[in-house]
Amino acid sequence: MASSKNNTMVFLFLLVTLLIGSSSAQLSTSFYSKSCPKLYQTVKSTVQSAIKKETRMGASLLRLFFHDCFVNGCDGSLLLDDTSSFTGEKRAAPNVNSVRGFEVIDNIKSAVEKACPGVVSCADILAVTARDSVVILGGPNWNVKLGRRDARTASQGAANSSIPAPTFNLNRLISSFSAVGLSTKDMVALSGAHTIGQARCTTFRARIYNETNSIDSSFARTRQNSCPRNSGSGDNNLAPLDLQTPSKFDNNYFKNLVNKKGLLHSDQQLFNGVSADSIVRSYINNPSSFNSDFVTAMIKMGDIRPLTGSNGEIRKNCRRRN
């Protein structure tokens, strides 16, 4: 009898331990409610200042979260600088001379460290910053799930292979998003983030000169004025991803696609006579549907392979490991 009782106690202990471990691995919208109650106001004030200084920064901060989550999960790995013994993700093809806003993240981290030292991860700062950027530019709000920890490593190779390219066709876009657990609808909704921000000439040059059947001719000519045909000339010249309201988070991006005015090849692929067309039309006809699906997709993206519990670390400086 004693042996049976002991076995029962051991089983209950293991069950409780398992449940505690499981719950610690779950993200929560109230994760920092006691350990860092001023987190949200601290992040938002810094994001507001950055966007007030340069409106484009909102799109750049949102993009940082996207490029981080698609490479081995939302773990802040994108923020790590290269060192003599470590190669990070910043110089990967999709990121070099492209992703930006790292100084803003530094400022946010510094402010958060003053409010609650050693508590909030850089990965979670990216998640909150992305949400705040959308809201400040007129987009929907949502409760951000938190509790991620920071990676101690990064992968330039994974960044090169995992982040969808502006040259991708629809099938490759669907495959890239599917690989991280996101559906076609999630993909179209998240692509709607291109309602804000700008792109470099190098990312859309081939489209405006070569894709005559899928691009509005006057739109192409307008873009050609600031993006010369020859590589090496005007490579870094910028053009708005959303022709109509490039600084406002709305559904005009999708209206542009129907009119063959998607800036990137990957943009126009969302409306090219096949499977994604109906989703694009639904977002044009029902902006609230776009906002709702965008929020759902952002939350799902934030759930991609987070480090939780005792995994990873809480970096003191987002650019380097502790």
Side-chain angles (χ1 to χ4, degrees), residues 295-316:
V295 166
T296 297
M298 284 293 291
I299 293 171
K300 285 178 66 176
M301 186 173 73
D303 285 341
I304 299 174
R305 296 172 61 186
L307 296 173
T308 57
S310 59
N311 295 316
E313 63 182 9
I314 305 297
R315 281 186 226 139
K316 297 176 182 178

Side-chain angles (χ1 to χ4, degrees), residues 99-113:
V99 289
R100 58 196 295 275
F102 297 110
E103 295 79 7
V104 176
I105 299 299
D106 292 340
N107 293 338
I108 295 171
K109 178 62 173 175
S110 178
V112 170
E113 282 296 302

Side-chain angles (χ1 to χ4, degrees), residues 184-186 188-190 251 254-255 278-291 293-294:
T184 299
K185 179 180 282 189
D186 296 329
V188 177
L190 289 172
N251 71 334
F254 298 105
K255 297 177 182 179
S278 60
I279 304 174
V280 170
R281 289 194 184 279
S282 72
Y283 292 160
I284 293 173
N285 296 327
N286 190 351
S288 63
S289 175
F290 164 51
N291 285 341
D293 288 351
F294 180 81

Side-chain angles (χ1 to χ4, degrees), residues 47 51 57-59 61-62 128-138:
V47 175
I51 293 177
M57 186 54 69
L61 295 172
L62 174 57
V128 177
T129 299
R131 187 274 309 274
D132 288 349
S133 296
V134 170
V135 173
I136 291 168
L137 293 176

Side-chain angles (χ1 to χ4, degrees), residues 68 71-78 123 149-151 153 305 307 315:
D68 182 49
V71 183
N72 296 325
C74 308
D75 59 4
S77 58
L78 173 61
R149 289 168 65 84
D150 297 320
T153 187
R305 296 172 61 186
L307 296 173
R315 281 186 226 139

Side-chain angles (χ1 to χ4, degrees), residues 73-94:
C74 308
D75 59 4
S77 58
L78 173 61
L79 303 175
L80 290 169
D81 282 343
D82 291 353
T83 68
S84 58
S85 59
F86 175 83
T87 301
E89 297 166 16
K90 290 181 178 178
R91 292 177 61 81

